[in-house]
């Protein structure tokens, strides 16, 4: 068994956000496995085969990639953003744990990418400057009661919250429910960022108040990353330009307070 498997993060969209290590893994691969739209972002190359599949078949896709690697192929499994954040890295290891014991001898590498919350934060300013967390609003793999319990906990702890998979045609109400829950814990003027398709041609970024975000929930889609500010998250107005959003490292809420943490 001389094959290998690398799980590659493509980043959010722009080619220059693809890391050199991820680019090298794609270049070395004999086979690319992934969700069709992600594979479409990778140029064709002689001698390299693409194995596209639909969304929501992650474990099947992972098993297929492991079988190809076991046959001696040099396989790259592609994810948008970072493969370890609600993406294919966990699916590959889940398939590995439940699969053929011979797969355990395969060399498996994870090449990180820029995930949506980091890309959108960079566009907005520094909203993740304090403590933050990421929660997927999809209840396909966990009960909605688990989602709301986690939201309640991090809202009470005053984290900045990045919401992945906020809304889809099959799940049209979850984002509105999550924002209404947030509105019971946070002030109506708390900054909320709707960042859609960051790094792509149709990119958009809206900075709303929490009250406005509740009303605008239906305007989001699966390409949107929603970030709910903490009580300390601030706006810096810039006239007619979009304001900067940042969360101070200090929990005092006062700007320019010396921090004991790293700069």
């Amino acid at each position: 068994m001389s094959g290998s498997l690398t799980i590659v993060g493509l980043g959010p969209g722009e080619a220059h956000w693809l890391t050199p290590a991820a680019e090298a893994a794609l270049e070395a691969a004999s086979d690319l496995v992934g969700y069709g739209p992600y594979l479409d972002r990778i140029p064709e190359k002689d001698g390299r085969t693409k194995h596209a599949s639909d969304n929501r078949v992650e474990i099947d896709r992972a098993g297929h990639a492991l079988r190809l690697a076991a046959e001696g192929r040099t396989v790259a499994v592609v994810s948008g953003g970072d493969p370890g954040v609600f993406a294919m890295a966990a699916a590959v290891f889940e398939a590995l744990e439940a699969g053929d014991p011979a797969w355990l001898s395969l060399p498996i590498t994870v090449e990180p990418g820029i995930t949506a919350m980091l890309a959108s934060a960079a566009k907005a300013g520094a909203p993740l400057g304090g403590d933050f967390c990421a929660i997927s609003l999809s209840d396909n793999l966990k009960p909605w009661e688990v989602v709301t319990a986690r939201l309640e906990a991090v809202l009470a702890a005053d984290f900045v919250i990045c919401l992945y998979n906020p809304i889809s045609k099959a799940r049209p109400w979850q984002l509105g429910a999550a924002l209404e829950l947030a509105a019971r814990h946070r002030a109506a003027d708390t900054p909320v960022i709707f960042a859609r398709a960051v790094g792509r041609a149709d990119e958009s970024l809206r900075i709303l108040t929490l009250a406005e975000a509740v009303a605008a929930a239906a305007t989001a889609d699966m390409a949107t990353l929603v970030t709910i500010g903490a009580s300390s998250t601030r706006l810096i107005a810039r006239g007619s330009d979009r304001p900067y959003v940042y969360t101070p490292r200090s929990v005092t809420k006062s700007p320019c307070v010396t921090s004991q943490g790293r700069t």
Side-chain angles (χ1 to χ4, degrees):
M1 187 182 295
S2 58
S4 65
L5 191 152
T6 304
I7 311 157
V8 178
L10 298 180
E14 292 184 354
H16 66 257
W17 279 348
L18 182 69
T19 70
E23 190 170 15
L26 295 174
E27 184 64 24
S30 62
D31 295 77
L32 301 178
V33 177
Y35 178 42
Y38 295 150
L39 290 181
D40 291 343
R41 290 165 53 183
I42 303 170
E44 301 292 337
K45 176 186 174 184
D46 289 343
R48 184 168 64 191
T49 303
K50 292 182 178 180
H51 306 264
S53 56
D54 292 333
N55 202 8
R56 296 179 66 175
V57 292
E58 289 89 351
I59 299 300
D60 292 343
R61 185 185 304 144
H64 180 52
L66 287 161
R67 285 189 291 272
L68 288 172
E71 293 168 4
R73 310 290 289 177
T74 303
V75 181
V77 176
V78 300
S79 273
D82 181 275
V85 180
F86 306 122
M88 282 304 300
V92 168
F93 289 113
E94 185 176 347
L96 176 69
E97 183 179 25
D100 188 338
W103 293 348
L104 295 172
S105 64
L106 286 168
I108 298 176
T109 305
V110 181
E111 292 294 351
I114 298 173
T115 189
M117 65 181 176
L118 301 182
S120 64
K123 293 282 186 176
L128 308 184
D131 294 332
F132 65 91
C133 70
I135 293 179
S136 171
L137 288 190
S138 174
D139 55 357
N140 291 326
L141 298 176
K142 60 181 181 288
W144 181 247
E145 292 75 17
V146 171
V147 177
T148 54
R150 291 174 178 176
L151 281 170
E152 290 273 11
V154 295
L155 284 164
D158 201 17
F159 283 81
V160 173
I161 306 169
C162 299
L163 299 177
Y164 280 74
N165 305 315
I167 196 168
S168 70
K169 291 180 180 178
R171 298 182 296 100
W173 56 267
Q174 279 87 340
L175 177 59
L179 291 169
E180 288 172 2
L181 178 59
R184 295 200 287 271
H185 290 260
R186 307 253 164 111
D189 61 351
T190 300
V192 176
I193 303 165
F194 279 34
R196 186 187 182 281
V198 172
R200 285 176 264 171
D202 55 342
E203 171 186 311
S204 68
L205 191 145
R206 291 179 287 161
I207 299 170
L208 309 172
T209 66
L210 180 53
E212 291 169 338
V214 171
T219 66
D221 61 15
M222 279 291 284
T224 306
L225 190 286
V226 177
T227 300
I228 304 171
S231 64
S232 58
T233 301
R234 306 171 65 88
L235 297 181
I236 301 176
R238 297 195 296 151
S240 61
D241 293 329
R242 186 174 65 214
Y244 291 125
V245 185
Y246 85 104
T247 304
R249 293 174 298 166
S250 170
V251 297
T252 64
K253 304 183 187 177
S254 298
C256 301
V257 173
T258 302
S259 170
Q260 297 301 310
R262 279 189 315 183
T263 300

